[in-house]
Amino acid sequence: MTKYKPQFGSSKHIIFLLLIIAILAVSVVLLIFALKTNPVDEVLRSDQVIKLLFVIENDGEAISTMLMAYYPVSHRGALIDILGNTGAIYASLGRVDRIDAVYKEKGIDVYRAEIEKLTGMTIPFTLEIGLREFSELTDFLGGLRVFVPYPVDDRIDGVPYLLPSGSVTLDGDKIRTYLLYENKEASAADRQDRLQNTVVAFLAALNKGRSDIFKKKVFPVYASRIRANIDNDGLYSLLEKISMIDAERLFPQAVTGSLRAVDGQTLLFPYYDGQLIKDVLKQTVSALLSETEVVHSRIYVLAVQNGTTVQGLAKNTAALMQSAGYDVLSAANADTNDYEKTVIIDHIGNAEIAKNIGDFIRCTNIKTAEIKEEDVSEADTLVDFTIVLGKDFDGRYVR
């Protein structure tokens, strides 16, 4: 009798096994993709505002550091200049120094951690671009449009610096000159403006060129010149969202403080032990999230009046309000110096902005001015809000 032998090696069984293996392989791939999360979307689930650190560096030194806060819903954002000479006792260095020394010695991750302490904000994303790469990106974008207040024709240490004046579009080489040139007669504010203008122009160019930049074959050319703490897919998602920004409505701000000489360096120590910049950024984020789209569409003008006998209170408070992004037209004495309570006078009937100002100095005493046409002077028409400081104001808050 012939014994039956099962044909396990038959082609049908092999095909069946291969089919099972293929199904398992596809299932694993699909599972991997299902588990893979977009880091930008992940952040937006817990925080409506995207925060990132944008660093332009040259030979390992940060020449520009901007903290960007961006609200994708309204396409509005804020740009906070973290000045390189911002001073403090940095734990990562174990000494008092400039904050950009942290970047040079410890790198971007430790630098970000120190800026998070300074600002009181968690910053999920970092973007680093070398000056050479930034110059190349500028050319890819067709140049950056900036305002140059005066023509430059100078030579420093044998290096020529040439720039035209006016509102001009600068190519990669010129933008490098724009960033590096330091006129001895120019103020620190001039250089600060140039750095901010460059980043704003870069964001505007991203917005303008977004239809080409995010093509599959084009984007890797840009991505290869940017160092980020996320992979290329995450970078694509991040830049795609940021490229929607309305660059013309960015809130430009900077760390403010008092200058002091320490170990041969002039360092900027933030006001109120750093609490001011935290309060400013908190208010800025609240402004971005405002439901009223037009309420923060411009810079508001304040008049600050000292209604007390404390010398210099109006002037110091004017600097405080300027650091929060307001324009102060005047700082002077009030009609009398015996105001018991601080009052905010709203001249334009914008209750939300009046409340924001009040929140910043913890003042709830807000009044809307009754305007009589015959009593309005030219100066009055320029002022949106008047702050009259009372005895309950300690220089920072109403107590």
Side-chain angles (χ1 to χ4, degrees):
M1 178 181 282
T2 304
K3 292 184 179 179
Y4 171 74
K5 295 181 181 179
Q7 303 296 312
F8 289 111
S10 69
S11 60
K12 288 184 179 180
H13 286 86
I14 292 173
I15 292 171
F16 182 68
L17 287 172
L18 290 174
L19 183 62
I20 292 175
I21 293 171
I23 292 172
L24 288 173
V26 170
S27 299
V28 169
V29 170
L30 291 175
L31 181 62
I32 290 172
F33 275 101
L35 292 175
K36 186 178 180 181
T37 58
N38 183 309
V40 181
D41 291 338
E42 190 70 24
V43 166
L44 287 174
R45 287 192 188 97
S46 57
D47 190 348
Q48 299 177 71
V49 176
I50 295 173
K51 304 179 187 74
L52 67 94
L53 202 61
F54 187 100
V55 179
I56 301 174
E57 59 88 17
N58 189 32
D59 294 332
E61 296 188 10
I63 61 175
S64 173
T65 301
M66 303 285 170
L67 169 58
M68 181 179 173
Y70 173 61
Y71 185 39
V73 174
S74 65
H75 308 306
R76 291 185 295 162
L79 205 60
I80 298 90
D81 192 351
I82 309 297
L83 302 180
N85 67 332
T86 301
I89 301 174
Y90 296 111
S92 58
L93 298 177
R95 65 178 187 271
V96 176
D97 210 327
R98 302 166 54 99
I99 196 167
D100 57 10
V102 178
Y103 180 83
K104 184 176 181 179
E105 297 182 28
K106 300 295 182 178
I108 187 67
D109 291 332
V110 178
Y111 190 47
R112 176 182 60 174
E114 291 288 8
I115 292 174
E116 286 180 332
K117 292 177 189 175
L118 172 70
T119 60
M121 281 188 172
T122 299
I123 307 170
F125 306 113
T126 60
L127 300 180
E128 295 175 273
I129 307 178
L131 187 56
R132 180 173 61 83
E133 289 76 15
F134 190 80
S135 176
E136 293 172 350
L137 289 173
T138 297
D139 287 332
F140 295 160
L141 292 167
L144 301 184
R145 191 163 189 82
V146 297
F147 179 74
V148 183
Y150 49 83
V152 173
D153 185 354
D154 200 356
R155 183 176 289 271
I156 301 175
D157 297 331
V159 179
Y161 291 87
L162 298 169
L163 287 173
S165 62
S167 182
V168 293
T169 299
L170 302 181
D171 63 17
D173 287 339
K174 292 294 185 186
I175 208 70
R176 182 186 178 95
T177 298
Y178 183 73
L179 285 169
L180 293 181
Y181 176 67
E182 292 199 37
N183 185 345
K184 294 179 181 178
E185 297 177 359
S187 65
D190 175 72
R191 177 167 171 75
Q192 179 183 326
D193 287 343
R194 279 188 283 132
L195 294 172
Q196 283 191 331
N197 290 343
T198 300
V199 177
V200 171
F202 180 76
L203 294 170
L206 275 182
N207 179 279
K208 184 179 179 181
R210 65 187 312 275
S211 60
D212 291 324
I213 294 168
F214 296 99
K215 292 177 178 177
K216 288 186 177 180
K217 291 184 179 180
V218 176
F219 182 74
V221 177
Y222 286 82
S224 65
R225 286 155 174 86
I226 301 172
R227 302 193 302 274
N229 64 335
I230 47 180
D231 62 20
N232 274 1
D233 290 338
L235 180 61
Y236 183 98
S237 178
L238 178 63
L239 290 182
E240 188 179 38
K241 283 183 169 58
I242 289 171
S243 71
M244 294 290 289
I245 196 167
D246 184 351
E248 293 184 359
R249 291 200 299 155
L250 274 171
F251 296 154
Q253 294 173 311
V255 175
T256 56
S258 56
L259 294 171
R260 278 184 269 167
V262 178
D263 296 332
Q265 299 187 95
T266 301
L267 304 182
L268 181 78
F269 288 88
Y271 288 129
Y272 301 96
D273 295 325
Q275 186 57 46
L276 176 59
I277 187 61
K278 294 181 177 67
D279 292 344
V280 167
L281 292 180
K282 182 179 179 180
Q283 186 186 56
T284 297
V285 171
S286 296
L288 292 177
L289 293 170
S290 169
E291 293 181 2
T292 307
E293 183 73 17
V294 298
V295 76
H296 301 287
S297 59
R298 65 179 178 88
I299 297 175
Y300 292 89
V301 181
L302 312 181
V304 181
Q305 297 180 5
N306 184 2
T308 76
T309 58
V310 178
Q311 294 295 317
L313 190 60
K315 180 180 178 182
N316 293 338
T317 305
L320 181 73
M321 301 311 297
Q322 286 171 330
S323 72
Y326 298 101
D327 187 8
V328 179
L329 182 67
S330 62
N333 291 327
D335 53 352
T336 178
N337 61 10
D338 60 356
Y339 275 81
E340 292 295 329
K341 292 186 177 181
T342 298
V343 59
I344 297 170
I345 303 170
D346 178 359
H347 299 287
I348 59 173
N350 192 324
E352 185 169 354
I353 292 296
K355 183 179 183 302
N356 284 345
I357 295 170
D359 289 345
F360 186 62
I361 60 173
R362 296 179 185 171
C363 176
T364 57
N365 187 20
I366 300 172
K367 297 181 180 179
T368 302
E370 293 183 11
I371 303 174
K372 295 181 180 180
E373 203 65 38
E374 62 272 17
D375 295 335
V376 176
S377 67
E378 185 178 351
D380 290 334
T381 62
L382 299 175
V383 174
D384 299 314
F385 303 91
T386 298
I387 304 174
V388 184
L389 305 169
K391 296 176 183 177
D392 58 350
F393 185 70
D394 66 0
R396 177 63 186 93
Y397 299 116
V398 171
R399 300 294 183 182

